[in-house]
């Protein structure tokens, strides 16, 4: 059993993001980068599947500049077995990204690809779906968990994506609640926020990670067409929030809601 987990280097969600004055991108000076939070959940899920038995190998894959090795080392320190970094400096859209992961999933003969439902930098929510389509594999998106995260199952670290033989049982979040799917392997599963709480990398884990294999592959060597079909024309910050206003009494609040906000 081999589980391929995708790991994207993204700006820290707690950092204040500033858009460049010409709208061509974001200001990256002194910006802290982290593992995409949804990918961290995917790594945790893969490790839980592995720890439940059956001898799974957890292989991480990232696409980007050399610096992405930092995020792969974080995943290796959490407990993944080895990592692949596809070196690509050029901009990629979701389809180009999915094509690269398609090649890796085939070359690695992965049984399961675990991915975040979206990357928090471009928020596309489509790479997993595109990958499943390119591979012709079943997919389950938004994997979540029936129990609250403080449940006994979560405290015991049990996986939410359960593999048995050649199939996987996946709980997924839908607007009205949770849906249970059974899909054949190999498959692509994208994970949502409430699937698990990722572990911290321990100090021994960080030491061990330094010796684990991290293979670098130039994107040109894969022989793929990854020219973007999607062009970003401009980024713009959201409008500044209006200042709040204090009212003196409930009567005044009702009056304002009625005459100005017109909501009652
Ligand atoms: C757990 C959860 C959390 C969410 N949180 C948010 C949130 O925070 N903010 C937010 O804005 N939204 C949220 N949503 C809504 C979510 O973003 C939308 O459901 C999603 O964008 C739609 O994408 P999809 O791939 O599910 O749609 P699809 O099912 O792929 O449908 C997309 C479109 O395809 C077309 N289509 C699909 N099937 C057919 C058909 N049979 N015939 C004709 N046309 C069809 C329709 O035009 C449809 O609108 C959430 C949804 C879920 C399930």
């Amino acid at each position: 059993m081999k589980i391929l987990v995708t790991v994207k280097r993204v700006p820290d969600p707690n950092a204040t993001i500033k858009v460049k004055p010409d709208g061509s991108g974001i200001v990256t000076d002194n910006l802290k980068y982290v593992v995409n939070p949804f990918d961290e959940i995917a790594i945790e899920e893969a490790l839980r599947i592995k720890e439940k038995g059956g001898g799974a190998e957890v292989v991480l894959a990232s696409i980007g500049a050399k610096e992405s090795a930092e995020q792969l080392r974080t995943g290796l320190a959490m407990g993944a077995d080895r990592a692949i970094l596809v070196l690509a400096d050029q901009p990629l859209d979701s389809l180009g990204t999915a094509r690269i992961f398609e090649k890796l999933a085939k070359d690695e003969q992965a049984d399961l690809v675990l991915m975040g439902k979206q990357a928090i930098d471009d928020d596309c929510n489509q790479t997993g779906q595109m990958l499943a389509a390119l591979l012709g594999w079943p997919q389950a998106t938004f994997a979540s968990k029936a129990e609250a995260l403080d449940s006994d199952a979560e405290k015991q670290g049990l996986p939410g994506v359960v593999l048995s033989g050649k199939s996987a049982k996946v709980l997924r979040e839908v607007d009205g609640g949770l849906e249970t799917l059974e899909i054949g392997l190999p498959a692509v599963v994208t994970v949502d926020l409430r699937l698990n709480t990722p572990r911290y990398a321990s100090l021994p884990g960080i030491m061990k990670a330094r010796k684990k294999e991290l293979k670098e592959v130039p994107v040109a060597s894969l022989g793929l067409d990854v020219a973007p079909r999607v062009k970003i024309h401009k980024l713009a910050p959201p409008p500044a929030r209006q200042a709040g206003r204090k009212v003196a009494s409930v009567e005044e609040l009702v009056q304002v809601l009625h005459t100005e906000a017109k909501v009652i």
Side-chain angles (χ1 to χ4, degrees), residues 117 125 129 142 172-177 192 194:
K117 72 166 181 178
N125 182 356
Q129 293 89 328
F142 307 145
R172 62 184 299 271
E173 198 169 349
V174 291
D175 273 341
D192 210 337
R194 282 168 288 279

Side-chain angles (χ1 to χ4, degrees), residues 37-91:
F38 291 99
D39 297 348
E40 228 176 354
I41 294 170
I43 298 170
E44 175 65 36
E45 199 60 23
L47 295 175
R48 290 184 184 195
I49 294 170
K50 175 183 167 141
E51 285 159 4
K52 209 167 161 254
E57 184 187 22
V58 178
V59 183
L60 309 180
S62 192
I63 307 165
K66 264 193 174 294
E67 290 76 20
S68 297
E70 205 184 305
Q71 279 62 47
L72 287 171
R73 289 277 174 221
T74 302
L76 291 172
M78 285 170 73
D81 296 294
R82 61 187 171 86
I84 304 165
L85 171 55
V86 177
L87 288 167
D89 284 323
Q90 75 269 45

Side-chain angles (χ1 to χ4, degrees), residues 34-167:
V34 295
V35 175
N36 177 39
F38 291 99
D39 297 348
E40 228 176 354
I41 294 170
I43 298 170
E44 175 65 36
E45 199 60 23
L47 295 175
R48 290 184 184 195
I49 294 170
K50 175 183 167 141
E51 285 159 4
K52 209 167 161 254
E57 184 187 22
V58 178
V59 183
L60 309 180
S62 192
I63 307 165
K66 264 193 174 294
E67 290 76 20
S68 297
E70 205 184 305
Q71 279 62 47
L72 287 171
R73 289 277 174 221
T74 302
L76 291 172
M78 285 170 73
D81 296 294
R82 61 187 171 86
I84 304 165
L85 171 55
V86 177
L87 288 167
D89 284 323
Q90 75 269 45
L92 290 167
D93 61 11
S94 303
L95 184 59
T97 306
R99 286 207 165 120
I100 295 170
F101 287 139
E102 177 197 8
K103 174 96 173 86
L104 294 186
K106 281 181 179 162
D107 288 353
E108 286 288 332
Q109 295 183 303
D111 299 284
L112 176 68
V113 181
L114 273 174
M115 320 176 65
K117 72 166 181 178
Q118 67 197 80
I120 60 153
D121 50 358
D122 55 21
D123 265 340
C124 282
N125 182 356
Q126 57 190 3
T127 307
Q129 293 89 328
M130 286 179 172
L131 175 62
L134 290 169
L135 287 164
W137 291 2
Q139 60 169 306
T141 54
F142 307 145
S144 194
K145 223 176 196 171
E147 304 88 2
L149 287 185
D150 57 1
S151 68
D152 287 345
E154 180 57 18
K155 282 181 199 149
Q156 288 165 33
L158 293 174
V161 178
V162 180
L163 307 189
S164 60
K166 283 307 237 175
S167 68

